[in-house]
Amino acid sequence: MKKKLLFAALALLLAAVVGLIGYDALTGRTQTTDFFAMDTTVSVRLTGCVKPETAEQIKAMVRHLDTDLLSRTSEGSEIAAVNRAHGGTVGEQTAAWLQTLKELEEISGHAFTADLGALTGLWGIGTENERVPDRDEIQAALAHTKKWSINGRTVTVENGAALDLGAVGKGIACDEINAIVRQTKAKKVIAAVGGSVLLYAKNPKETFRVGIRDPRGEANDYAAVLTVGSCCISTSGSYERVFTAPDGKTYHHIFDPSNGFPAQSGLLSVTVLCDSGLLSDALSTACFVLGCEKSEELLKAYDAKAVFITEENKIITAGDLAGRLEITADQYTLVEESQ
Ligand code: ADP
Ligand code: MG
């Protein structure tokens, strides 16, 4: 009888150990999915006890966001439909994003402008029609910006204006990926949608080391490394989607809505961190337009932090990032802003 009991206890212990090992093996597993959507590469790393279907769900969701809701060039999307019809009713999700953006437009003094479509279409940067328009054309296009409104789910886009959510689609995708993974047993998630990244760790003490691209280097060169907890991070830089005109001058794709030209605010890039992907993406674009000093208030209004890389090779932090940024390329000097 004693022997039987001992054997049962041993069996139980063994089962517990095996169970534990099995559990650890599952939770420690990392799945990686890479695909192309929103005109960029999407790369998702899921660690933990996550079903393979989750990666498929994420892929389908990002494609849905692009094709059915946000892309102005996808005929069937909600944004394309309101642009075509000069307005209309959008779904609840799209309406909520647009309301957030309307507020951000106002707070940023229109450094972020959601209906720059007439202007971005005119320059065509990143498309086969890219060119430097003349000043009259730019003025004419500018007259068709800041001409949209939203009331509940009803959007109005004046004739000639067009919503262009190119500056925020990737951040929205990060938020939606975040919503999906939080319903799973994922322990850690890193999802990069072009220049917007979702970092999620179930354990609030866990940190990530994130490289900030060297704007003067190649795609895999870093200027600095940030150590952060769960958040969304977006970078806007003048090195992305650059077009060299026949006169040898280069033009980038982030426009200053006050003059219709690529923004020249003394920055090479700006990286914004906050809880929301939509906001980090919209703010990185707005801060690039505003430049370092004028961004301060805007960042405070959204409780966001930022890292600016200037044309003078200074790396300036905003918000409390003290001790969390390490410069990894010799040519840059760190300037920590106290706030
Ligand atoms: P990326 O698309 O490289 O991640 P951004 O998030 O900064 O970079 O978005 C740039 C895109 O946003 C442009 O291609 C254009 O469609 C749009 N855009 C450019 N300037 C502005 C602006 N001032 N406000 C809102 N959208 C903008
Ligand atoms: Mg952006």
Side-chain angles (χ1 to χ4, degrees):
M1 187 64 192
K2 264 193 181 169
K3 252 190 182 171
K4 261 191 184 170
L5 264 178
L6 190 71
F7 183 76
L10 271 175
L12 261 178
L13 190 73
L14 196 71
V17 171
V18 169
L20 219 89
I21 292 168
Y23 177 76
D24 261 341
L26 265 180
T27 52
R29 205 175 56 184
T30 296
Q31 299 176 51
T32 309
T33 317
D34 295 319
F35 57 97
F36 194 82
M38 296 192 162
D39 216 11
T40 193
T41 308
V42 183
S43 173
V44 184
R45 271 173 71 92
L46 302 165
T47 304
C49 190
V50 185
K51 293 182 191 144
E53 293 94 276
T54 303
E56 288 309 310
Q57 197 189 343
I58 289 173
K59 204 186 222 177
M61 181 276 297
V62 177
R63 297 219 157 111
H64 162 68
L65 281 180
D66 193 20
T67 315
D68 305 327
L69 303 182
L70 301 173
S71 168
R72 62 180 287 225
T73 54
S74 160
E75 271 186 32
S77 82
E78 288 194 337
I79 293 300
V82 292
N83 281 342
R84 248 188 336 259
H86 316 305
T89 306
V90 294
E92 246 169 62
Q93 258 191 323
T94 304
W97 297 322
L98 288 174
Q99 272 153 9
T100 302
L101 294 176
K102 180 49 93 183
E103 197 178 288
L104 201 142
E105 278 191 343
E106 279 153 23
I107 300 180
S108 71
H110 278 97
F112 179 91
T113 298
D115 65 341
L116 280 192
L119 185 78
T120 54
L122 181 66
W123 284 83
I125 294 182
T127 72
E128 55 195 23
N129 304 319
E130 54 192 11
R131 70 189 179 92
V132 182
D134 62 42
R135 279 170 196 271
D136 291 346
E137 289 176 294
I138 292 174
Q139 286 313 314
L142 281 180
H144 293 301
T145 65
K146 307 175 193 169
K147 295 281 156 73
W148 75 283
S149 60
I150 179 153
N151 183 1
R153 287 172 51 204
T154 309
V155 181
T156 310
V157 183
E158 276 186 25
N159 198 356
L163 288 167
D164 172 355
L165 301 190
V168 291
K170 301 177 194 94
I172 290 174
C174 287
D175 288 334
E176 296 303 303
I177 296 172
N178 203 359
I180 292 178
V181 298
R182 276 168 193 264
Q183 290 184 355
T184 68
K185 293 195 174 130
K187 283 193 354 188
K188 208 166 174 176
V189 178
I190 302 175
V193 187
S196 289
V197 181
L198 162 73
L199 302 171
Y200 164 74
K202 200 175 186 106
N203 178 353
K205 287 189 188 143
E206 192 138 359
T207 55
F208 299 83
R209 281 170 61 77
V210 191
I212 296 181
R213 185 171 154 180
D214 179 355
R216 299 192 193 276
E218 301 297 318
N220 290 323
D221 294 335
Y222 297 120
V225 175
L226 255 178
T227 304
V228 288
S230 297
C231 68
C232 290
I233 301 194
S234 297
T235 299
S236 290
S238 54
Y239 52 83
E240 285 283 359
R241 290 183 209 257
V242 174
F243 150 62
T244 306
D247 65 4
K249 267 182 136 183
T250 55
Y251 298 87
H252 63 80
H253 72 316
I254 304 168
F255 292 98
D256 184 341
S258 71
N259 62 23
F261 280 85
Q264 286 186 305
S265 56
L267 296 178
L268 296 175
S269 79
V270 51
T271 298
V272 174
L273 295 73
C274 61
D275 291 341
S276 144
L278 169 63
L279 291 176
S280 68
D281 207 357
L283 289 171
S284 71
T285 305
C287 291
F288 192 92
V289 172
L290 290 171
C292 184
E293 277 158 34
K294 289 191 192 153
S295 294
E296 201 177 305
E297 262 182 56
L298 179 64
L299 290 164
K300 273 190 184 157
Y302 284 97
D303 200 16
K305 305 176 198 305
V307 178
F308 298 89
I309 305 187
T310 74
E311 284 170 352
E312 296 166 335
N313 292 349
K314 285 187 186 143
I315 299 191
I316 304 174
T317 61
D320 183 19
L321 287 173
R324 290 207 258 159
L325 189 79
E326 183 191 322
I327 306 275
T328 50
D330 290 345
Q331 58 186 317
Y332 299 102
T333 330
L334 179 63
V335 182
E336 263 170 343
E337 225 181 46
S338 56
Q339 275 190 38

